Amino acid sequence: MTAGLNRLSRERQHFFSERDYMDSMKKIYHFISTMKTGLMLLVLLGLAAAMGRVIFPDSFSHAILFKMLLLLLLINMTCCTINRIIWFKSVFIYKRRKGFLKQFGILLLHAGIVLIMIGGVIFSCYGGSEQIQIVKHETKDISHVIKTNQVKPISMHLDDFKIEFNDDGSASQYYSFLTLLEDGQTKEKAVISVNHPLNCGGVKAYQMSFGYKVKVKHINSEGMETEDLFNEGDVLKIPGTERVVKIFRYIPNFDPAHGMTSITMRSDNPRIIFSVYENNNLLGVGAVEFGERVEIDNNVFAVFTGVEPYTVLCVKSDPGLPMVLSGGVMFMLGVCLALLTSHSKKAVRK
Amino acid sequence: MMMALIDEIIYAVLAVYAFGSVLYFRGARTGQKKVFQAAFIMAITGVVLNLLVLIIRTIIAGRLPLSNGAEFLLLFTWITVVFYLILQKKIQYKGAGGLVLLMAALLILAGAVLMKEQFGTAMPLMPALKSPWLCVHVLTAALAYAGFALAAGLALWCVWGKSQAIGNSIIYSIVASGFAMLSLSIVFGAIWAEQAWGTYWSWDPKETWALVTWIIYALYLHLHKKMESQERQASIMVIAGFVFVLFTFFGVNYLLPGLHSYGVVLNNLNLFG
């Protein structure tokens, strides 16, 4: 008898604890899914973004707290959207009432935001993006950017880089002539420019920037000639002398009145700005034309023979992009239906 | 020659809007019909001159005037006043005309002071701006900003407690339309950014502050029903929203440079300014 009562008491306890648990879960779900919580999260997100942009401009969007805030907003928006779908079905499924378009628009725009955010999460988990620099005639491996089950290595070869100019010498467009290679074999040839990225089998490449490497021929005291490529800012050490040459900058259109600044990007009057040092003491600064022979020390010469362009591309794979795009379209359609159709008071959701 | 003419017309636009504003204020104080008529004529004259500047810039540059801060300012001011005049004609409302034209005059003045060099020149488009998305992104932004400016003018008139205050439902409708345009502008911008920069959202200052502005108006739209009995608070929120719009336009351009700062910087070889 006592044993039976004890068992009954244990079962009742278990039943109540399960019910308490369900009640708590319902309360948590209710709290997470309310509009009030969503608005609070939006305010927090706005504050965090505005303050973060000013205080930590480069890193605030990578902070764990900021990501947590976005995740909470995603959960809230997802729950809100599910609630809204249930309500929408119960009100509009059997009868098309007034306000259908408006409420459908509200549903679409919330669902669109959820899709955009999920697309963002997919990119951060499975996507990748990297800026790569390729000098003309160079090949760079990009396999590590594409986080898929790609077995064959993928690389990019820069065939050429060109700038198109306006009449005033300003840049009109930048072109990278590329060959996409799979396992060393040509897969596709493409020309990419700003606003016209390459899109090939999940790989996207965007024209981001460019620059020049400087070709320098140096002749040591024994008359031996060597030619190398240097970055702007590199230091050239020539055997047989204590003096070093700093290749400061390539100026495509030089004018002494503008100093180190090029008048335009078009190479109308190209110069290389360089400086010579001995034991860290500056001996002089010069601006020379291509092919001009500069005596660095007794019988030691440097000749700046030309420049080789390089392109900077952003290579990206984003499996979440189709979802983001669908979300964007849904969001736009939803916004137009919800806010630009006439207001109906009959089917306003409580 | 044509560019010098633009400068002259801009100052004329500024003067006409300012004078029209004074007349609207006077009309609201005295209630004289003739003063309102004169104010309306000034507003129409301002709109025509403002449009003339936009047309001349279009002819000189050979493209729509949407590519720099000055052009955007001229367009958004023009749309704001046009919206107000439509509202005035549609519902026979003359109340906030003084405030709306005053805002238009102040915007033109701010442009003439801060963007003087942009008003008088028409540079070729930089590569990043050569996209069909430029037109829809900037046009929707200008429509949104104009809607918010008009709503803020009407809300300020309500808060001021002047006679013939407009109903909150009209302000709500204007804000809702502005919000829809801002949302479209943000999405068009994101699609364009994905093509040009390889990322649809990069937390660039302009994007961040556009999002903050979007959040303010989203709050207003969500809370509007609850604030029906508190018209004053709702109006203050609309005014606050427009302060954020102004910061997104002027503040971000001058204080927080980023990918949207379309200046010509030679030797900095990033292609986006």
Side-chain angles (χ1 to χ4, degrees), chain B residues 105-272:
Chain B
L106 289 175
L107 284 170
I108 297 280
L109 181 66
V113 173
L114 296 170
M115 303 166 182
K116 195 171 169 49
E117 75 290 349
Q118 289 181 19
F119 274 128
T121 52
M123 306 278 282
L125 276 186
M126 58 191 291
L129 296 179
K130 287 182 176 172
S131 166
W133 294 107
L134 171 74
C135 190
V136 281
H137 172 58
V138 179
L139 263 181
T140 45
L143 286 167
Y145 279 27
F148 295 144
L150 178 61
L154 300 176
L156 196 57
W157 196 249
C158 283
V159 171
W160 209 344
K162 292 290 168 185
S163 60
Q164 213 198 349
I166 201 159
N168 243 2
S169 63
I170 289 181
I171 297 177
Y172 172 82
S173 300
I174 296 168
V175 171
S177 307
F179 181 80
M181 288 301 134
L182 180 65
S183 304
L184 294 186
S185 176
I186 290 173
V187 178
F188 288 139
I191 296 171
W192 182 12
E194 206 283 324
Q195 277 196 359
W197 305 329
T199 170
Y200 48 85
W201 195 264
S202 52
W203 296 104
D204 164 73
K206 197 67 131 187
E207 290 172 355
T208 305
W209 282 93
L211 179 68
V212 172
T213 307
W214 186 88
I215 288 173
I216 299 278
Y217 285 110
L219 285 177
Y220 168 80
L221 294 178
H222 278 91
L223 298 176
H224 175 255
K225 278 241 148 272
K226 290 181 181 162
M227 291 195 294
E228 262 179 351
S229 55
Q230 301 153 306
E231 290 203 350
R232 196 180 161 81
Q233 274 90 329
S235 297
I236 288 170
M237 209 162 169
V238 174
I239 298 162
F242 188 61
V243 172
F244 278 87
V245 168
L246 289 178
F247 183 77
T248 306
F249 181 64
F250 289 109
V252 173
N253 279 5
Y254 289 95
L255 302 173
L256 304 166
L259 288 165
H260 280 79
S261 311
Y262 292 107
V264 180
V265 186
L266 292 170
N267 273 328
N268 173 4
L269 300 182
N270 193 305
L271 310 186
F272 307 111

Side-chain angles (χ1 to χ4, degrees), chain A residues 38-218:
Chain A
L39 293 181
M40 266 164 47
L41 288 169
L42 266 181
V43 171
L44 284 174
L45 180 73
L47 277 173
M51 286 166 70
R53 190 63 249 176
V54 176
I55 303 167
F56 309 107
D58 298 322
S59 60
F60 80 96
S61 60
H62 304 293
I64 289 289
L65 274 175
F66 193 75
K67 284 183 176 173
M68 285 291 290
L69 201 56
L70 283 171
L71 189 67
L72 281 174
L73 187 65
L74 171 61
I75 294 168
N76 168 268
M77 293 286 295
T78 310
C79 296
C80 274
T81 308
I82 292 168
N83 290 346
R84 194 166 272 281
I85 290 171
I86 295 166
W87 172 83
F88 186 83
K89 275 171 76 176
S90 68
V91 174
F92 292 102
I93 194 90
Y94 299 115
K95 196 178 173 189
R96 192 176 161 145
R97 298 183 182 192
K98 263 192 173 179
F100 172 84
L101 278 181
K102 187 179 179 70
Q103 293 304 323
F104 183 62
I106 293 173
L107 179 61
L108 262 187
L109 83 87
H110 283 84
I113 295 173
V114 171
L115 282 188
I116 292 171
M117 292 179 87
I118 293 173
V121 173
I122 293 173
F123 172 67
S124 34
C125 295
Y126 304 106
S129 154
E130 193 178 301
Q131 288 207 3
I132 57 162
Q133 180 183 310
I134 318 176
V135 185
K136 193 174 164 183
H137 304 310
E138 191 189 16
T139 304
K140 279 263 170 86
D141 185 73
I142 55 161
S143 305
H144 58 285
V145 184
I146 310 150
K147 294 181 191 170
T148 57
N149 298 327
Q150 180 79 31
V151 185
K152 293 175 183 171
I154 291 189
S155 51
M156 265 179 184
H157 178 85
L158 180 68
D159 301 318
D160 203 357
F161 177 80
K162 278 186 179 156
I163 304 175
E164 194 177 80
F165 293 98
N166 295 308
D167 292 341
D168 65 354
S170 61
S172 163
Q173 189 52 280
Y174 308 89
Y175 297 99
S176 290
F177 297 79
L178 294 162
T179 305
L180 196 68
L181 304 152
E182 193 176 73
D183 202 18
Q185 302 296 312
T186 300
K187 192 182 177 189
E188 189 175 321
K189 279 198 172 279
V191 182
I192 67 166
S193 55
V194 180
N195 280 312
H196 301 95
L198 161 75
N199 191 354
C200 177
V203 186
K204 288 190 98 175
Y206 304 80
Q207 185 64 55
M208 293 304 288
S209 186
F210 75 98
Y212 294 97
K213 295 224 174 198
V214 182
K215 278 193 271 188
V216 189
K217 187 161 76 179
H218 47 94

Side-chain angles (χ1 to χ4, degrees), chain A residues 14 30-31 41 103 150 232 238 252 277 283 299 317 334 342:
Chain A
H14 178 71
H30 179 73
F31 175 74
L41 288 169
Q103 293 304 323
Q150 180 79 31
E232 289 177 318
I238 307 173
Y277 294 83
L283 299 180
N299 289 324
S317 83
S342 60

